[in-house]
Amino acid sequence: MPYMVRSAPRVVLTAGLAALVVCTALVTVSAIAFPLGYSPARLTWPGAPVLLGWTHFDAGWYAHIATAGYSYTPGQQSPVAFFPLYPLVLRGLGLLSMDTFLAGVLVTMLCGLGALYVFTLWARTRADEEAARNAGLLLAFYPFAFFLYGAMYSDALFLLLIIGAFLLLERGQLGWAVLLAAVATAARPVAPALVVGLLARRLEWKHERGLKWSLMDLLPVFAAAGFVLYVLYQWKAFGEPFAFVKVQSAPGWDQKPGWRTWAKLRWFQGFSREMSLSDGFRLMGHAAVTVGALALVWPTVKRLGWGYGVYTLAIVGLPALSSKDFMGMGRYLLAAFPLFLTLALLLRERPRLRWGVLATSACVMLALTAAFGAAEYVS
């Protein structure tokens, strides 16, 4: 009887569920073990309930936007830095009398598992079942994949939407793909990457089938609608259409656009004899995954086509350029989802190395999850 590869979506979804349970247990233990770790949910949730470890750092901003709306104070950290889709979803659930922090965690969990499932469906459009399964496992156990399993951040929602958009594109449903992408650009400030990626892949998709290009193939430019609407809102509400950019210069964030940020001077300045080991790992780790992602762009072009190569270059390059020290790049690279399929294809003929990469990645993910639960800033 010939060897049968088990269903990629089923295997990957099972792995994701297992990772969600284990990661939630880890952040719970960490939150209990380190009760002084700051969490904006502590006032809402007395003691240390099961999900407290998932509500750190930006969770407070999202909860504030969902309950109190936006504000902008020039020169100070302000909520406008965070795009509106995720807090809008939380506000909608709040209308159903659901606690805002609980809603944030549950949305992440559901969207994270949904993203893993949809990713394997997309991977099957570009590779066989085995490669799709392996790629899904690489994504499920990526060191920063815990942001898909409960952390109150917008990454899981954004990832689900963009993979869904590209899946619809591969199925020839251009209009629905653009609509989904337009919703996605209201979640994160990377609209140019999504627009360029969808446009490039659409033109390549038509060429692969021997079809002529038409004006309809320019429809992906409307994927920027979510981004544009947020810019217009800021213009009307605060008189500053790009307040979300200007606020990045506020003390504490210190990411003013310019050559100092582009040259990563703050990254180099972060190294010193007095720095802690964890700070060193954090600085080196985010820079390393960024360089690794960029190194996979050309292999992506060769294996998945120039459309996905253009998209991955843009989705990695934009946040890498705008970050002063690469912090956050670990979770931002979740959006560079074609790279996980590229890596799976590169490791296809080297099963021992593939399992080694998976095991190492999973161990790092668990360590970072525990640190996040203890309110350590890991990404």
Side-chain angles (χ1 to χ4, degrees):
M1 182 176 179
Y3 171 71
M4 298 294 291
V5 178
R6 286 183 294 174
S7 166
R10 184 179 302 174
V11 171
V12 173
L13 189 58
T14 301
L17 280 168
L20 185 152
V21 172
V22 173
C23 288
T24 300
L26 276 176
V27 297
T28 300
V29 172
S30 293
I32 293 173
F34 297 91
L36 297 181
Y38 171 73
S39 169
R42 283 196 186 278
L43 296 177
T44 305
W45 297 343
V50 173
L51 301 178
L52 184 66
W54 284 131
T55 58
H56 291 302
F57 309 112
D58 290 353
W61 288 108
Y62 286 120
H64 173 82
I65 298 166
T67 56
Y70 280 108
S71 62
Y72 172 53
T73 304
Q76 296 182 19
Q77 294 183 13
S78 303
V80 289
F82 300 88
F83 271 52
L85 181 62
Y86 187 63
L88 277 174
V89 173
L90 304 189
R91 173 170 288 195
L93 292 174
L95 296 177
L96 302 177
S97 300
M98 181 178 290
D99 174 81
T100 302
F101 291 103
L102 177 61
V105 173
L106 293 181
V107 167
T108 292
M109 288 179 170
L110 292 174
C111 289
L113 293 176
L116 290 176
Y117 182 79
V118 174
F119 172 79
T120 56
L121 297 180
W122 166 83
R124 290 198 302 192
T125 69
R126 306 300 299 159
D128 58 34
E129 193 80 12
E130 183 178 10
R133 180 201 65 196
N134 292 335
L137 292 176
L138 287 169
L139 175 57
F141 297 127
Y142 171 61
F144 294 91
F146 66 90
F147 281 99
L148 304 179
Y149 300 136
M152 192 174 164
Y153 279 62
S154 64
D155 299 87
L157 174 60
F158 180 65
L159 184 61
L160 174 61
L161 292 171
I162 59 173
I163 299 176
F166 277 101
L167 175 61
L168 290 169
L169 192 70
E170 292 297 339
R171 292 178 173 177
Q173 298 173 283
L174 178 61
W176 288 110
V178 172
L179 180 61
L180 206 59
V183 176
T185 59
R188 288 275 301 280
V190 287
L194 198 50
V195 169
V196 170
L198 285 170
L199 181 60
R201 178 55 194 154
R202 173 63 180 183
L203 297 179
E204 184 183 38
W205 186 90
K206 293 286 290 286
H207 179 72
E208 289 172 349
R209 288 156 178 77
L211 302 173
K212 293 183 179 180
W213 295 341
S214 68
L215 286 177
M216 283 296 293
D217 296 319
L218 298 179
L219 203 59
V221 300
F222 292 101
F227 176 89
V228 171
L229 286 174
Y230 185 50
V231 167
L232 292 176
Y233 163 77
Q234 290 173 103
W235 194 4
K236 181 178 180 181
F238 310 114
E240 177 52 71
F242 294 101
F244 75 94
V245 176
K246 293 196 171 185
V247 79
Q248 297 297 329
S249 304
W253 287 342
D254 304 309
Q255 300 205 120
K256 183 178 181 179
W259 72 270
R260 291 179 177 274
T261 295
W262 302 332
K264 302 295 178 284
L265 292 187
R266 289 294 295 270
W267 184 78
F268 289 103
Q269 293 168 354
F271 292 94
S272 66
R273 292 181 179 180
E274 294 76 25
M275 71 184 301
S276 66
L277 187 61
S278 62
D279 286 340
F281 277 130
R282 183 164 57 239
L283 286 171
M284 291 298 298
H286 286 277
V289 295
T290 303
V291 172
L294 291 172
L296 285 172
V297 170
W298 180 242
T300 298
V301 173
K302 294 173 65 177
R303 287 163 177 78
L304 303 182
W306 62 271
Y308 286 111
V310 167
Y311 168 72
T312 52
L313 178 61
I315 204 72
V316 175
L318 283 176
L321 189 65
S322 62
S323 170
K324 68 180 186 294
D325 56 5
F326 298 107
M327 273 305 297
M329 285 302 298
R331 64 183 175 88
Y332 297 155
L333 292 178
L334 287 165
F337 65 91
L339 299 183
F340 294 95
L341 180 54
T342 298
L343 185 58
L345 293 171
L346 289 172
L347 296 174
R348 181 195 290 272
E349 304 303 327
R350 308 179 75 175
R352 289 186 179 180
L353 179 58
R354 184 181 71 245
W355 285 113
V357 170
L358 277 171
T360 302
S361 184
C363 289
V364 175
M365 180 187 72
L366 295 178
L368 292 178
T369 301
F372 184 86
E376 287 289 333
Y377 188 49
V378 297
S379 182

